[in-house]
Amino acid sequence: MSEYGAVPFALMIVIIIYIMIGEYFKSIHFHLIHETSFGIIIGMLMGLLLKWMDENAYAQFFSLNATIFFYLLLPLIIFSGGYNLKKKQFLKNFKYIVSFGFLSTLLNFIITLTLTIGFNSWNLVRLGTNLDSNISLSYDQMIKYSATICATDSVAALNLIPSSQYPKLFSVVFGEGMVNDAVSIIIFQAVTILQQSGKSFEWYTPFEFIGRFLENCIISILIGLFVGLFSTWCFKKCRFLTNSTTTETVFAFLMAYMGYSICEMLDLSGVISLLMIGIIMSHYQGYNISQLGRVTTRVTFESLSLGAEAFLYVFLGFAMWNQTTYYSPLTKDLYYVEVSWVFTLLQLGIVILARYLSIYIVYWISISIQGEKVWKLTKYEMSICCFAGMVRGSVAFALIETLVASPTDGIEINQINILQSCVLYIVIITTIIFGTAMPFFINFQIAKQLDEEEQKSISEVPTPVLIDQQKKKELSEAQKIIKYMDEHYFKRWFIHDYENRKDKINQEKKQIKTETLQQIYEKAFSETSEDESVKQRNEDFIQLPNFEDKSPTSPLAIKMQELSQQI
């Protein structure tokens, strides 16, 4: 037990270092290497040291990583993303988010699968450094691999795009990343279910796959919608739940996790369900809890997400040296297996090619149907979206880790290990190389866009396309209907005392954009609550430190102010 515990102990030390260095980089605006790349690198160094000290304990530690990811880490990240989502920008750019996150991911899957089958038929899956030896992958394995490698990771790009200056670009990259992860997982689940059914491939199999895919999406969204509204209704009717900010936070997260668990139990997409729950809770439930509870829930979920992301990136570095060995749970022995460097390099090229093709094919289809004037994303913004989506992340690694080989089948063990090592190496390479190049690429594209607009501008004061126009856009008919239903029905049904609090809620929504976190807390302490227990709790709450400094130097203070602006 002591030998096994040395690995998680070292992992925690590296995570602490990663968080400290990451916040330091942000405070000094250092972008030469991204914090995610730094986390992977220090994880690789520590993993190499641990493997040298005790290879058996090191290999055994990585046997349950997929379970930990899908049932502990991923829910924290997805729920925080949905709960802290800027809904106005998300809905405003919904067309681009769905086009890139949904259609482009499907096209990416088809392109990747086609090229992978071609490389496999040409015997290009070589073993190790021996170019004369090759292994053939099964169609089931290649289909699952293609679904896995479609999952992108846009964290590096999001940290480098100023959301206040470029809200459209930020929301498209963020929304597309969230939807892409969900769609990739659904494709993987749909493929797995079809394979487990034991049916042979027929002419109608692609249509069956599409039906399964759409069924998974729709039911998952409905479950998320129901759970989110039910949680909101509980806070509206059971006002005693608002007596404590701790209760508010824990109850909200448990309800969200219950929705995720229901979908996972039914072989549906817990990711889409959890994302929907977070959005619904943020939109309605925030007005059923105390003002202090609104800030506490957001800070808590953001903190948990930060810890989960830190663990994932460091863990990827740790796992780097585990791909040449196979730990058998039956014999408890280590066996050395092969990786395919040729296959990995070919797949890296496919990742880049498939990303660009899938994005621009969707663009060409869209302008062919609606016309080029309707498409508002510039070529420079699309280049940034393409580049940001080339990075592969933890979702791809966790999905491929769910593939399990028979302990007695040596060929299958090598096949699975080749796919798993390929995904891990692509994740590490794209994160380090593309993540490091991300700030230079983004700044270059933005500078070119601004220069082009300045040259083409006829007026005296040019207006860059990348910076959103301030004039108010007229809502479409669909948006008008949704807004009408929301204001006249849904908010009345799910927000506590909405009739009497409507003006106050609308005033809070306008003021909260300019308030600091300290002002929000002070208002929460002094607010007159109908529930005496809430009023007494606010009066007894300790005085928080002042975050109103004009030039905060603490990374924590900067983070808290950023969160206050988001809500």
Side-chain angles (χ1 to χ4, degrees), residues 216-269:
N216 197 324
C217 285
I218 294 172
I219 297 179
S220 299
I221 290 174
L222 291 176
I223 291 177
L225 187 65
F226 173 78
V227 173
L229 291 176
F230 178 71
S231 175
T232 301
W233 183 84
C234 288
F235 275 105
K236 177 185 177 180
K237 295 298 183 181
C238 306
R239 299 303 297 162
F240 55 85
L241 291 174
T242 63
N243 291 348
S244 167
T245 54
T246 304
T247 303
E248 291 172 336
T249 305
V250 172
F251 186 85
F253 180 75
L254 291 179
M255 290 295 291
Y257 197 85
M258 181 184 71
Y260 180 84
S261 302
I262 291 173
C263 287
E264 291 297 313
M265 181 176 61
L266 299 176
D267 290 327
L268 300 172
S269 176

Side-chain angles (χ1 to χ4, degrees), residues 87-102:
K87 298 178 290 297
K88 185 177 180 180
Q89 286 295 329
F90 182 85
L91 295 174
K92 185 178 179 181
N93 300 293
F94 187 74
K95 177 179 70 174
Y96 307 112
I97 292 171
V98 171
S99 298
F100 292 155
F102 184 81

Side-chain angles (χ1 to χ4, degrees), residues 153-437:
D153 187 357
S154 55
V155 172
L158 291 173
N159 290 337
L160 299 169
I161 301 174
S163 59
S164 58
Q165 190 175 4
Y166 309 114
K168 178 174 66 174
L169 181 60
F170 183 89
S171 65
V172 171
V173 174
F174 175 80
E176 189 256 344
M178 298 288 288
V179 176
N180 169 272
D181 287 344
V183 172
S184 298
I185 294 174
I186 292 177
I187 293 175
F188 188 88
Q189 291 175 333
V191 168
T192 302
I193 292 173
L194 287 177
Q195 291 176 351
Q196 290 175 349
S197 64
K199 297 179 181 178
S200 59
F201 188 87
E202 303 289 346
W203 64 270
Y204 55 82
T205 301
F207 299 99
E208 188 176 358
F209 166 77
I210 294 174
R212 169 64 66 175
F213 176 83
L214 294 176
E215 177 188 10
N216 197 324
C217 285
I218 294 172
I219 297 179
S220 299
I221 290 174
L222 291 176
I223 291 177
L225 187 65
F226 173 78
V227 173
L229 291 176
F230 178 71
S231 175
T232 301
W233 183 84
C234 288
F235 275 105
K236 177 185 177 180
K237 295 298 183 181
C238 306
R239 299 303 297 162
F240 55 85
L241 291 174
T242 63
N243 291 348
S244 167
T245 54
T246 304
T247 303
E248 291 172 336
T249 305
V250 172
F251 186 85
F253 180 75
L254 291 179
M255 290 295 291
Y257 197 85
M258 181 184 71
Y260 180 84
S261 302
I262 291 173
C263 287
E264 291 297 313
M265 181 176 61
L266 299 176
D267 290 327
L268 300 172
S269 176
V271 173
I272 284 189
S273 177
L274 201 57
L275 183 62
M276 178 61 65
I277 293 171
I279 294 173
I280 293 297
M281 284 186 176
S282 174
H283 188 63
Y284 295 112
Q285 186 169 289
Y287 300 109
N288 287 338
I289 60 180
S290 63
Q291 196 167 12
L292 181 62
R294 282 178 236 166
V295 180
T296 304
T297 52
R298 291 182 182 274
V299 173
T300 301
F301 299 148
E302 185 78 13
S303 301
L304 292 174
S305 176
L306 174 64
E309 288 179 355
F311 178 89
L312 287 173
Y313 289 116
V314 172
F315 189 88
L316 289 174
F318 263 66
M320 171 72 178
W321 314 108
N322 193 46
Q323 303 307 305
T324 57
T325 56
Y326 170 73
Y327 177 79
S328 174
L330 296 179
T331 62
K332 299 187 183 302
D333 292 328
L334 285 179
Y335 300 95
Y336 289 93
V337 291
E338 295 285 354
V339 297
S340 178
W341 296 108
V342 174
F343 183 73
T344 301
L345 292 175
L346 290 173
Q347 288 298 324
L348 183 61
I350 290 177
V351 166
I352 299 173
L353 177 63
R355 176 63 180 178
Y356 269 100
L357 286 177
S358 61
I359 290 292
Y360 283 99
I361 288 175
V362 168
Y363 163 70
W364 292 327
I365 293 174
S366 178
I367 63 174
S368 298
I369 297 174
Q370 295 181 312
E372 194 168 358
K373 292 183 178 180
V374 179
W375 190 268
K376 301 300 182 182
L377 283 180
T378 67
K379 60 182 179 180
Y380 301 104
E381 291 174 319
M382 290 183 60
S383 295
I384 294 175
C385 292
C386 283
F387 197 84
M390 285 187 202
V391 180
R392 295 300 182 264
S394 53
V395 172
F397 174 70
L399 282 174
I400 204 67
E401 286 293 315
T402 60
L403 300 183
V404 180
S406 172
T408 58
D409 192 338
I411 296 178
E412 188 180 19
I413 290 175
N414 268 319
Q415 291 172 331
I416 298 298
N417 188 75
I418 285 173
L419 296 176
Q420 291 176 342
S421 61
C422 175
V423 171
L424 177 61
Y425 294 151
I426 288 177
V427 169
I428 292 176
I429 292 172
T430 55
T431 301
I432 294 177
I433 296 179
F434 295 145
T436 302

